[in-house]
Amino acid sequence: MRPFEIQRIDHVVLRVSDLPRALRFYCDVLGCTVARERPSLGMVHLRAGASLIDLVSIDGALGRPGGPAAGAQGRNVDHLCLRVDPFNEATLRAHLQMHDVAVDGPVESNFGAEGDGPSLYVRDPDGNGVELKGPASECGR
């Protein structure tokens, strides 16, 4: 028996090659806000709803030990999933297009923390996958 229960994902840390570019994507396109900046570490903590996304510059104190940035042939992370509400495909696509962010394929129903529901995928400027997930359908819960 464990003396604890997992409640939710607290944060995800992404190594990025261009911190200002990544900040523009996560804040301007996805709506995260800066919670704390730690320049001595090359790190910015972003508020993403109840969770955090930490961006670590690959040339900063925390990023350097991780080696070179992931590229087209290798990734540090497959994807992170952000629960969004409301989930309106046309509105989401228009917003992403306005920011020159390509959507990877059609909206599909995928399983997540709340059950099966709609999602679509994009890539951040470093090629990390980001799933935008809508609410679970009644039959998917």
Side-chain angles (χ1 to χ4, degrees):
M1 190 88 171
R2 271 184 286 317
F4 61 88
E5 244 180 70
I6 295 174
Q7 301 297 309
R8 63 180 168 81
I9 293 175
D10 183 83
H11 68 277
V12 174
V13 180
L14 299 175
R15 296 175 69 245
V16 299
S17 60
D18 183 334
L19 190 56
R21 180 182 68 174
L23 280 167
R24 285 190 301 275
F25 175 79
Y26 283 97
C27 293
D28 297 348
V29 178
L30 297 183
C32 294
T33 57
V34 175
R36 182 176 293 170
E37 295 183 56
R38 298 172 74 188
S40 65
L41 297 176
M43 178 182 219
V44 177
H45 302 274
L46 301 178
R47 178 69 50 205
S51 301
L52 291 176
I53 298 171
D54 296 340
L55 301 177
V56 174
S57 176
I58 61 165
D59 60 358
L62 291 179
R64 278 192 302 275
Q73 300 304 311
R75 299 272 175 255
N76 292 329
V77 173
D78 180 71
H79 75 276
L80 68 97
C81 179
L82 300 174
R83 169 64 163 79
V84 299
D85 193 34
F87 188 96
N88 178 292
E89 180 180 2
T91 303
L92 284 170
R93 284 183 181 276
H95 174 74
L96 294 166
Q97 183 177 17
M98 182 175 67
H99 290 279
D100 297 319
V101 175
V103 175
D104 295 345
V107 167
E108 296 179 357
S109 180
N110 288 305
F111 183 70
E114 299 174 354
D116 292 309
S119 63
L120 57 81
Y121 293 85
V122 298
R123 298 223 169 255
D124 77 4
D126 285 278
N128 295 306
V130 179
E131 178 182 358
L132 301 177
K133 182 113 177 63
S137 61
E138 289 300 318
C139 63
R141 290 185 186 183

